[in-house]
């Protein structure tokens, strides 16, 4: 068997075992490695660079809307968690505790940050005195720890990276506007930057963030039909303000509690992106996030090699100067075919081939990772052609992901219909729900599916509950989820 064939067969086909395919791809593409600590991973350079590009884009969006970055301690006193009952109950099973330091037992246990509402609430109570101090618009880039029982690299790990925004406002109206503004920023980022279509909606009470009044999410469908919660935004009301005594002197000279929000996305987006776009040849990376957007492969016999590489380097400089993330692979000890397979597996969106005949004709060959389309383009217009093709690749990726979701999105009226449909094909299911916790719990017990959210714009409005047959208060998306 040829070297090229062996390279591809090391990846398990998606239809055979999707979970195995996922692990094969992230390992083979050199995105991460397992650490000696259970449930924790090491981000290798390509994996971390993907996260860096996400950070850059999100930071730009956050700052354009008036938010600033700060940093808070990762150790949180146990007493802080006792101040908001719902919050501590929601996180207690996942909390790791520090009980000893410097060889001595601590007077109070310290939790390693699972989220920062309590620590930030404590600090805001010191910083906010008057309506003149509001709004407070702060974001934090940090690591958090949640001691998960079942882990999966990028999607669910004991320690992960994220951003968490925490804001404080004079009124409920302002806080709710903030909550929805950030949800929209997440939608726009995930769809326009990662090429992942999402469904926006409100979480049911059982799926709300611990301590929130309302939680909103964007939900994405993976290629195995499962859902991933790709981002959340929470209106916290005055719950944390009351718990941490965050008051301000109002314009009417009265002491009032602030209204707070929190919102976040994490490195779970990396796993989502891989599962939405990847195929049996490996990664398929959206151009805007790919560490390498274009790989240049010079081709030809030894006698023309020096000339071809020389011209390749000139074109490389043109692309780099134009802001394209580009690399050249001019190794002579592996074949062009091997290189093609390697960079396809690594998800590089665009390949540029240049040989002696291309040199003579003043052209280059561009090959799309997602469609395999080959375009012969003029070298004099290379930058524009490359940028245009990268845009086309992004749009094609989004269109394919959206079509996949539409093909795996069904409307059901009863629990029996949901069970039968899920046995036939995993995906998203739109159904009516009366609003009772008992009916929602029954769906989970009998199908393994959870309510993902109550979509803002459902394809249709359901009139009866899929479990009890009573009037539906909400139209809900159900799915099995990561």
């Amino acid at each position: 068997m040829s070297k090229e064939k062996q390279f591809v067969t090391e990846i398990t086909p998606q239809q055979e075992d999707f979970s195995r395919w996922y692990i094969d791809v992230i390992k083979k593409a050199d995105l991460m490695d397992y650490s000696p600590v259970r449930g924790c991973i090491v981000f290798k350079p390509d994996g971390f660079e993907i996260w860096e590009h996400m950070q850059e884009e999100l930071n730009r969006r956050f700052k354009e809307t008036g938010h600033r970055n700060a940093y808070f301690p990762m150790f949180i006193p146990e007493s802080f968690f006792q101040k908001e009952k719902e919050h501590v109950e929601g996180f207690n099973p996942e909390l790791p505790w520090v009980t000893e330091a410097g060889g001595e037992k601590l007077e109070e246990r310290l939790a390693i940050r699972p989220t920062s509402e309590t620590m930030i609430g404590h600090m805001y109570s010191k910083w906010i005195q008057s309506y003149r101090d509001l709004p407070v618009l702060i974001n934090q880039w940090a690591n958090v720890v949640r001691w998960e029982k079942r882990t999966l690299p990028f999607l669910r790990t004991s320690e992960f990276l994220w951003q968490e925004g925490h804001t404080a406002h004079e009124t409920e109206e302002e806080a709710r506007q903030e909550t929805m503004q950030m949800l929209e920023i997440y939608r726009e980022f995930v769809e326009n930057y990662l090429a992942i279509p999402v469904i926006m909606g409100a979480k049911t009470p059982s799926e709300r963030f611990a301590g929130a009044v309302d939680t909103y999410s964007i939900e994405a469908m993976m290629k195995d039909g499962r859902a991933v919660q790709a981002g959340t935004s929470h209106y916290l009301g005055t719950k944390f303000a009351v718990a941490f005594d965050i008051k301000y002197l109002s314009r009417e000279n009265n002491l009032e509690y602030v209204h707070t929000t929190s919102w976040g996305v994490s490195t779970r987006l990396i796993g989502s992106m891989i599962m939405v776009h990847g195929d049996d040849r490996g990664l398929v990376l959206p151009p805007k996030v790919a560490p390498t957007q274009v790989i240049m492969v010079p081709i030809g016999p030894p006698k023309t090699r020096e000339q071809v590489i020389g011209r390749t380097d000139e074109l490389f400089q043109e692309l780099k100067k134009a802001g394209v993330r580009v690399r050249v692979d001019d190794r002579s000890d592996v074949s062009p075919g091997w290189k093609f397979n390697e960079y396809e597996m690594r998800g590089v969106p665009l390949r540029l081939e240049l040989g002696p005949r291309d040199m003579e004709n003043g052209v280059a060959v561009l090959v799309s990772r997602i469609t395999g389309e080959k375009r012969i383009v003029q070298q004099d217009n290379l930058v524009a052609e490359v940028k245009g093709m990268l845009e086309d690749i992004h749009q094609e990726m989004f269109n394919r992901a959206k079509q996949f979701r539409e093909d795996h999105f069904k409307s059901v009226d009863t629990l029996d219909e949901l069970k039968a449909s899920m046995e036939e094909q995993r995906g998203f299911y739109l159904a009516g729900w009366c609003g009772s916790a008992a009916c929602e719990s029954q769906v989970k017990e009998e199908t393994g599916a959870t309510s993902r959210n109550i979509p803002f714009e459902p394809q249709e409005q359901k009139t009866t509950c899929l479990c009890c047959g009573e009037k539906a208060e909400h139209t809900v998306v159900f799915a099995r989820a990561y």
Side-chain angles (χ1 to χ4, degrees), residues 21-59:
W21 167 84
Y22 177 73
I23 297 297
D24 288 348
V25 164
I26 59 177
K27 288 286 288 175
K28 190 71 181 166
D30 216 26
L31 298 183
M32 53 70 65
D33 202 353
Y34 293 101
S35 84
V37 180
R38 188 197 72 82
C40 297
I41 64 171
V42 175
F43 285 72
K44 299 187 83 172
D46 270 3
F48 195 74
E49 187 171 336
I50 290 170
W51 181 238
E52 286 180 311
H53 291 315
M54 292 182 182
Q55 283 184 302
E56 290 163 6
E57 281 298 310
L58 285 168
N59 250 334

Side-chain angles (χ1 to χ4, degrees), residues 105 127 175 223 227 234 267 270 352 377 380 400 419 430 469:
K105 190 175 178 64
W127 298 346
K223 269 193 176 173
H234 317 284
T267 41
I270 298 175
L352 186 154
V377 302
D380 291 345
R400 288 189 178 195
K419 287 191 283 188
L430 198 67

Side-chain angles (χ1 to χ4, degrees), residues 135 168-179 251 261:
H169 305 264
E170 286 185 68
T171 66
E172 176 178 348
E173 181 183 6
E174 286 180 15
R176 286 192 176 276
Q177 286 175 353
E178 165 78 6
T179 305
R251 297 167 193 272
T261 79

Side-chain angles (χ1 to χ4, degrees), residues 392-409:
D392 291 345
I393 289 169
H394 173 92
Q395 192 58 50
E396 178 65 20
M397 291 178 69
F398 181 81
N399 292 345
R400 288 189 178 195
K402 191 172 183 181
Q403 187 61 55
F404 182 88
R405 189 184 70 184
E406 289 175 3
D407 293 342
H408 295 76
F409 202 141

Side-chain angles (χ1 to χ4, degrees), residues 83-94:
K83 292 184 177 183
E84 216 297 316
K85 186 179 177 184
E86 268 187 82
H87 193 67
V88 70
E89 288 176 353
F91 281 103
N92 204 36
E94 301 173 346

